[in-house]
Amino acid sequence: MLNVTNILIILFLPFINFLILGLGSRSIKQPVSGTIATVSLLLAAGLSLMIGYQYFIVKGMVNGAFPPIELFRYPWMVFGSKLTIDMSLVLDPLTVMMLVVVTSVSAMVHLFSLGYMKGEERYTTYYAFLGLFTFSMLGLLLAGNLFQIYIFWELVGVSSFLLIGYYFSKPSAVAAAKKAFIVTRFADLGFLIGILILSFYGETLDIATLIQRLTAPAGSQSLAIQTAGWLGISALTWGLAMIFIGGAGKSAMFPLHIWLPDAMEGPTPVSALIHAATMVVAGVYLVARLFPIFQLSACILDLITYTGIFSAFFAAIIACTQTDIKRVLAYSTMSQIGYMMFSLGIARPEDHYLGYMASLFHLFTHAFFKSLLFLGAGAVIHMIHSNEMNKMGGLRKFMPVTHITFLIACLAIAGIFPFAGFFSKEEILLATYHANFPVFVIALCTSGLTAFYMFRLYFSIFWGKHQAHDPHHSEGTFTMKFPLMLLMLCTLVAGFLPFSSWIFQGDTHETSHINWKFSLVPLSLSTLGILIAAYFFRKPSSRVADTLMWMGGIYRISKNKFYIDEIYLWITQRVLFPLVGKPAAWVDKNIIDGTVNGVGNFVGSIYYFIRGMQSGKLQDYLLYFLAGIAAWMVYFIYIWK
């Protein structure tokens, strides 16, 4: 049933897991803790599917749209007649779709982890952290106001910090966790500023009310935010730019992407959860949730478009040269999120916001095949005990289930018919073709690169020369294979769902269909990318070495990720620390601390001066009393007139 009880069960089951497993991490043994967490997430996923069915199929549209449903509202903080913060739960088409995605992928990650994490010392703690991560993302999705979103937004950051740094005895894992936390904090500062700007002029933090007020053509709040400004830029543009910075940080868009590859230091199932269903899609969700406001500013939509397309192409180039299989998938995620971002940026009313629908359709399909890719990579790492492609090869004979499921996922992300990625990517390319042809050309090239680097990864793992592997290592337990098969099934069928009839922007929606004449070029480019990858990597040869020698410096630059990390380090150590950090430290030590310490020392000196007056001796107090009387008598007799 579609009621608040089921929603609360979905929301709080992961949180209850976090509390029980976190507090009982030493007393609850391995099989029990994993089973409790997995069963509860499977229940949450089942309830989410039921709610999706009830919302989209049973209740259906009302007057040509799916009405939002406010399930719960509780006044939390009242700052005045114009500004209150309410805790609320809201269901709309976007929220329902994301509920299904998050709970389904999280359930598969929990199930896969039963085998993958078996024997880990902090097994119960791992499942506790997974529960907190899932709860944080679900709370973010269901939040009815911006302040509530920000609370869960920060909880997502804390959860990612805990999971990325799960292997805290490894210095690289600790550094990666801190890097992710610090980089996203800078972006989240922008998000907070954006919230303050929009809520100040909109006079509310409630999302539905804010959208209504700021999009009203002649409304007082709308006129105020569009006429006020700074440096010739309206307050609306500033607010939306800050909001987008927050989303770009969470979704690892250039130049705030540097935390994403290092986040691979966490357990591989965690990577599947971060990249497929939680942290990195939060930015896309945020822009989509506030899209009616974003479309008021053409320059911000252009910013989203060009940030997205550059990130997609930039990440695809880097992915072509990485040798760590998880880093290849990390840059692949950055590229695919870039696709979703620029698709939102080019969404316009002329084509019934096709880009909006296409972006979220790709988010939906990407969740399944990207989690399948990461879990497949986890199965490979579990067997080989290495992330490096040069230590793999010929695994298709030893890992048949992983091989087939990984191949299906690669075909899907490459945009090959009839797999899910084909349908969503074609919608994005079609919308971009009509809206911005230069962006379409770059997106087309990125699509071809995606097919190349994914099948470079596939052939390097499962084909080529067989490496010497430990014969005692197997493909994994049933709990590791079953999620792969289930996600493969989702990858096969997700593209055929009537997604455009469920998720759309505006009063009408564009009917989803395949334009085979248009799809011929993207399909041809993807096929060409696969053939080139097969030519170089299907069998061992000197072709790769000869080509790399010919490419020279271009390959080195891409292999070193265009030295973006080194540039950040140089700016930090040579500019920020000496020019900002040291002066700030001096001010903090000498002025702020000096003032506080000076006040304390002054009070202390007064104490030392007067402490003798509080000796506790009665004769001293009588002496002070008589001296006071004598002083008053002298004053009144000789001075006061």
Side-chain angles (χ1 to χ4, degrees), residues 175-410:
K178 290 192 293 185
K179 187 176 184 179
F181 192 77
I182 292 169
V183 170
T184 52
R185 292 290 71 68
F186 282 103
D188 292 353
L189 174 61
F191 183 25
L192 179 60
I193 294 171
I195 290 174
L196 295 176
I197 293 173
L198 294 187
S199 61
F200 175 79
Y201 287 98
E203 299 178 352
T204 183
L205 285 162
D206 183 77
I207 294 174
T209 307
L210 187 69
I211 291 173
Q212 180 183 10
R213 290 178 178 178
L214 297 186
T215 56
S220 59
Q221 292 90 354
S222 175
L223 293 175
I225 196 171
Q226 295 190 52
T227 54
W230 182 57
L231 298 178
I233 301 174
S234 70
L236 175 67
T237 302
W238 279 114
L240 293 177
M242 294 296 105
I243 294 282
F244 175 64
I245 287 173
K250 274 287 191 288
S251 290
M253 293 290 94
F254 181 89
L256 298 171
H257 67 282
I258 57 172
W259 65 269
L260 191 64
D262 293 348
M264 299 301 97
E265 292 290 340
T268 304
V270 169
S271 302
L273 194 57
I274 290 176
H275 287 250
T278 52
M279 189 166 177
V280 295
V281 299
V284 178
Y285 171 80
L286 180 65
V287 175
R289 189 75 185 271
L290 298 176
F291 186 79
I293 303 176
F294 273 97
Q295 68 172 332
L296 298 175
S297 177
C299 63
I300 295 299
L301 289 180
D302 288 340
L303 174 65
I304 295 171
T305 300
Y306 294 115
T307 300
I309 190 60
F310 182 83
S311 298
F313 186 66
F314 177 78
I317 293 174
I318 297 177
C320 292
T321 59
Q322 300 302 299
T323 57
D324 183 315
I325 62 174
K326 290 175 68 176
R327 286 181 181 268
V328 173
L329 294 177
Y331 281 107
S332 169
T333 299
M334 177 182 169
S335 183
Q336 298 304 304
I337 297 295
Y339 256 85
M340 301 172 204
M341 279 295 190
F342 79 72
S343 185
L344 285 172
I346 55 94
R348 297 292 189 273
E350 302 88 69
D351 59 357
H352 304 290
Y353 300 103
L354 177 60
Y356 177 90
M357 184 280 296
S359 171
L360 297 174
F361 192 15
H362 197 55
L363 187 157
F364 180 74
T365 60
H366 174 265
F368 298 117
F369 59 71
K370 181 51 64 69
S371 56
L372 177 54
L373 286 168
F374 267 107
L375 295 184
V380 172
I381 294 169
H382 187 262
M383 180 175 180
I384 306 301
H385 292 286
S386 175
N387 294 13
E388 290 297 322
M389 289 192 293
N390 56 16
K391 296 183 180 179
M392 302 172 187
L395 290 179
R396 67 187 188 281
K397 299 176 183 178
F398 303 93
M399 308 182 73
V401 174
T402 305
H403 169 238
I404 294 300
T405 55
F406 200 90
L407 174 60
I408 297 297
C410 287

